[in-house]
Amino acid sequence: MAKRDGKKKRQPGNDETLPSGSIRVRVYAGIDPVTNVARYLRETVPPGPDQKREVERVKAEFIAQVRAQRHPRTDATVQQPPEQHLTDAKLGFKTRINYRSQAEKHIIPCIGRQKVRAVDARITDAFYSELRRCRDHCNGRPQVQHRTTQQHDCDERCRPHVCRPLSESSILYIHQILSGAFRRAVRLKCLDDMSRA
């Protein structure tokens, strides 16, 4: 029996020549379990005598990473796992409100835009140092702390800002939020280990 011609099998990777002469290599890496968006491993290879060989090497390396599941599995930022953790975790009503408030005031403004997979000891140490420096995350310049955000005439209630550290109990809350969120990311196989929080 003759084989029927089917559709041409889709290649796992592709490349695109850019106006600069560089070639962008792109390999499909599955659906991000946190954001539900298709993910791709990408690298741009500059022009040169060995460009074609380098493109094939990069493509083969990406394909091997995906097949062995050694590639980063999420492009999620730090603000996404805590939100999902706080939604799913078994927390009391007041605890959930407190955790959410801590996340919105401290985690999201300071490290919320960082990629989850990029968070390491250097970033977490700097984050905790910032929490112990100033609970309002000021830029260190002199400023007035106004009594309201509405338009008003300043009086004695509007005072110069003085940096005050966040309490150790609040820092512990924040650590619990991040630890729970990263544990969840490990369970979903978005991260490889628990070394981040």
Side-chain angles (χ1 to χ4, degrees):
M1 191 172 187
K3 244 186 192 179
R4 249 176 43 189
D5 285 341
K7 288 184 181 175
K8 190 177 177 183
K9 189 175 178 185
R10 187 176 139 190
Q11 295 299 313
N14 60 44
D15 48 73
E16 169 191 7
T17 303
L18 304 175
S20 64
S22 297
I23 297 176
R24 182 184 299 135
V25 179
R26 190 174 88 141
V27 173
Y28 177 71
I31 300 294
D32 188 315
V34 176
T35 62
N36 275 340
V37 174
R39 295 201 55 255
Y40 294 88
L41 303 180
R42 293 182 177 91
E43 186 172 324
T44 302
V45 178
D50 295 328
Q51 186 184 41
K52 291 286 184 194
R53 189 178 309 136
E54 181 64 11
V55 164
E56 291 308 313
R57 186 196 67 75
V58 169
K59 194 185 298 183
E61 186 178 302
F62 282 167
I63 291 168
Q65 283 179 21
V66 170
R67 286 185 179 149
Q69 296 191 349
R70 288 184 289 112
H71 62 291
R73 291 168 184 78
T74 185
D75 281 328
T77 58
V78 171
Q79 74 184 46
Q80 291 163 322
E83 179 56 39
Q84 291 176 330
H85 170 64
L86 292 176
T87 301
D88 298 343
K90 292 179 181 176
L91 301 170
F93 179 72
K94 286 185 179 177
T95 303
R96 190 182 305 277
I97 288 175
N98 188 13
Y99 278 19
R100 199 174 296 279
S101 169
Q102 297 290 358
E104 287 172 0
K105 179 158 186 186
H106 304 293
I107 296 172
I108 293 171
C110 292
I111 59 172
R113 291 184 180 178
Q114 291 282 343
K115 299 282 188 196
V116 169
R117 59 188 153 89
V119 176
D120 57 14
R122 181 183 53 80
I123 290 172
T124 53
D125 285 351
F127 174 57
Y128 289 125
S129 293
E130 171 63 15
L131 297 179
R132 291 184 174 100
R133 181 190 72 81
C134 181
R135 65 177 59 197
D136 295 318
H137 314 299
C138 73
N139 57 13
R141 296 180 188 152
Q143 55 186 293
V144 174
Q145 232 166 341
H146 294 282
R147 60 187 164 84
T148 177
T149 55
Q150 305 292 323
Q151 196 167 12
H152 66 284
D153 292 326
C154 288
D155 57 26
E156 70 280 353
R157 292 175 290 176
C158 299
R159 299 178 179 177
H161 169 72
V162 176
C163 292
R164 289 183 304 141
L166 198 60
S167 71
E168 286 301 317
S169 62
S170 293
I171 292 173
L172 181 59
Y173 280 145
I174 289 166
H175 183 74
Q176 288 169 339
I177 295 165
L178 289 174
S179 293
F182 283 124
R183 269 196 306 274
R184 184 177 194 278
V186 169
R187 201 168 58 249
L188 291 173
K189 299 185 177 176
C190 301
L191 298 177
D192 294 328
D193 55 47
M194 283 294 297
S195 62
R196 286 162 167 72

